[in-house]
Amino acid sequence: MRPTEVKINNAPEDWISCVRFGPKTNQYLIASSWDGTVRFYDVVNNTMRHKFMQDDPVLDVTFMDVVHVVSGSLDKNLRLYDVNTHTENIVGDHDAPIRCVEYAESVNGILTGSWDKTVKLWDMREKHCVGTYEQCNGKVYSMSVNEEKIVVATSDRTVLIWDLRKMEEYMMKRESSLKYQTRCIRLFPNKEGYVMSSIEGRVAVEYLDPDPEVQKLKFAFKCHRNKQGTTEHIYPVNAISFHNVYSTFATGGSDGYVNIWDGFNKKRLCQFHEYDTSISSLNFNYDGSTLALACSYMDELEVPPANVPSPAIYVRYVTDQETKQK
């Protein structure tokens, strides 16, 4: 019988910015890090298949298909990697670091979100930019794509909703319902809304339909906090990932905990054990049977701890008991 949780060998050596499973698999996983690496893992055999290296921190990474991976980094470049031939190409760049990369399957393109306050769409066959979209003067902090829908969360607490079929203008612009800086945003699997988190231990569940009856369903809740005596410690909620089958979602915080939530019934389904440092990234695989967790200290404290725990990647084989609506 396989263990519930496996620690992956050859983890990055600095803050892990992203972990992501390949399409239709729970075997292949990629990770990007501030150590300048993009690592390609075979989770089933617990081996690192390949490591691509650059001089600058890599801020996000995603699969295009099972052998092609793209990354965005602090050096402003979008890179395309081929894990079979171990080759890499610079596809193009932004005017500032690229914070987010997403594969847009519906147009077979890559979307990049940057601190230069734009999102760009790239044709990966021709390897050039086919559109640049201003994000209302906000740096892109988080982005999510599901078929034709895109949600972009920016530095000025704005959320922009776009439709890939008509990118001349955004569909909707909203102010975040969370008072503090946005950390992560993810679209529902059914595209009817999104979940977003902030640095102040809070998560909001929002719906796109402006109908007042639908808007009554939205709510926000506190999480990733703990009380010690009379003091409440409040932690950033760094990561969100949806279970594509059950539409429940996991959150990871700088408190070192992962929670799984049923957003429709406003319930927490479970909490995993405490990890030794911040959860910096989370990703369910396509069928929700496996959850990848990145644990890495994210420089949150003014004075770093005496012993900073080494970054680690865990793969957890989750059960229906943990992830299915009750």
Side-chain angles (χ1 to χ4, degrees):
M1 194 171 136
R2 71 180 175 194
T4 308
E5 192 171 279
V6 176
K7 189 175 183 178
I8 301 299
N9 296 324
N10 289 304
E13 289 161 23
D14 201 344
W15 175 349
I16 302 165
S17 52
C18 179
V19 283
R20 243 191 265 224
F21 279 106
K24 302 282 182 280
T25 179
N26 68 351
Q27 180 167 8
Y28 300 116
L29 181 77
I30 42 171
S32 57
S33 170
W34 280 70
D35 69 2
T37 64
V38 169
R39 294 165 194 248
F40 182 79
Y41 296 99
D42 175 340
V43 167
V44 173
N45 296 299
N46 201 351
T47 56
M48 182 175 73
R49 285 278 192 89
H50 195 68
K51 177 170 71 173
F52 296 95
M53 296 171 74
Q54 60 183 76
D55 294 335
D56 290 284
V58 186
L59 304 184
D60 202 11
V61 67
T62 194
F63 279 93
M64 270 183 61
D65 55 48
V66 81
V67 296
H68 294 101
V69 170
V70 291
S71 74
S73 60
L74 209 63
D75 70 3
K76 312 173 193 172
N77 288 318
L78 171 66
R79 285 177 173 80
L80 171 66
Y81 308 94
D82 184 315
V83 294
N84 275 348
T85 60
H86 298 177
T87 51
E88 65 177 273
N89 291 291
I90 292 178
V91 178
D93 63 8
H94 275 261
D95 294 335
I98 297 174
R99 176 63 190 87
C100 307
V101 290
E102 292 284 339
Y103 175 52
E105 192 175 2
S106 64
V107 293
N108 193 26
I110 289 290
L111 286 155
T112 51
S114 166
W115 294 341
D116 69 6
K117 305 178 181 179
T118 69
V119 166
K120 290 186 178 186
L121 177 62
W122 304 84
D123 177 330
M124 299 306 281
R125 274 192 301 261
E126 301 294 327
K127 299 196 174 44
H128 72 103
C129 176
V130 292
T132 301
Y133 312 102
E134 298 285 334
Q135 300 301 308
C136 290
N137 218 25
K139 294 176 182 177
V140 177
Y141 276 0
S142 187
M143 180 167 74
S144 178
V145 180
N146 184 348
E147 293 177 353
E148 79 289 349
K149 289 244 169 62
I150 310 167
V151 289
V152 181
T154 68
S155 53
D156 59 0
R157 295 179 42 262
T158 297
V159 175
L160 293 156
I161 297 107
W162 296 80
D163 185 325
L164 265 169
R165 297 165 302 188
K166 36 181 186 294
M167 292 291 286
E168 302 79 48
E169 201 179 358
Y170 53 79
M171 282 168 58
M172 263 179 268
K173 178 184 175 184
R174 292 192 175 168
E175 188 182 352
S176 166
S177 57
L178 303 174
K179 244 186 355 207
Y180 292 85
Q181 186 191 97
T182 307
R183 220 2 106 77
C184 189
I185 192 165
R186 293 290 178 260
L187 278 159
F188 294 178
N190 67 8
K191 304 179 292 188
E192 288 174 9
Y194 55 87
V195 172
M196 64 191 296
S197 65
S198 79
I199 58 169
E200 187 246 351
R202 225 177 261 266
V203 168
V205 177
E206 299 274 347
Y207 290 84
L208 298 180
D209 188 337
D211 181 314
E213 285 306 304
V214 177
Q215 286 302 309
K216 279 182 191 167
L217 299 171
K218 73 177 190 178
F219 67 100
F221 61 95
K222 298 175 184 177
C223 51
H224 298 281
R225 297 168 174 228
N226 67 44
K227 262 208 161 91
Q228 289 170 356
T230 54
T231 310
E232 186 176 39
H233 293 268
I234 299 172
Y235 298 90
V237 184
N238 304 313
I240 302 167
S241 184
F242 267 98
H243 190 295
N244 282 326
V245 182
Y246 300 144
S247 294
T248 51
F249 60 91
T251 59
S254 290
D255 57 349
Y257 281 101
V258 174
N259 295 310
I260 297 184
W261 308 90
D262 173 356
F264 300 104
N265 295 310
K266 303 184 181 178
K267 278 201 307 220
R268 184 166 77 180
L269 296 174
C270 74
Q271 181 177 71
F272 299 166
H273 63 87
E274 186 178 2
Y275 294 86
D276 64 2
T277 188
S278 306
I279 306 297
S280 55
S281 180
L282 289 172
N283 186 240
F284 274 112
N285 75 322
Y286 76 104
D287 67 1
S289 61
T290 317
L291 180 65
L293 303 90
C295 302
S296 52
Y297 175 62
M298 296 169 65
D299 297 328
E300 295 99 333
L301 305 172
E302 283 180 40
V303 180
N307 298 308
V308 174
S310 299
I313 297 172
Y314 297 92
V315 166
R316 190 175 175 102
Y317 298 100
V318 291
T319 62
D320 278 4
Q321 188 69 30
E322 294 168 320
T323 59
K324 193 174 183 177
Q325 293 168 354
K326 299 284 190 284

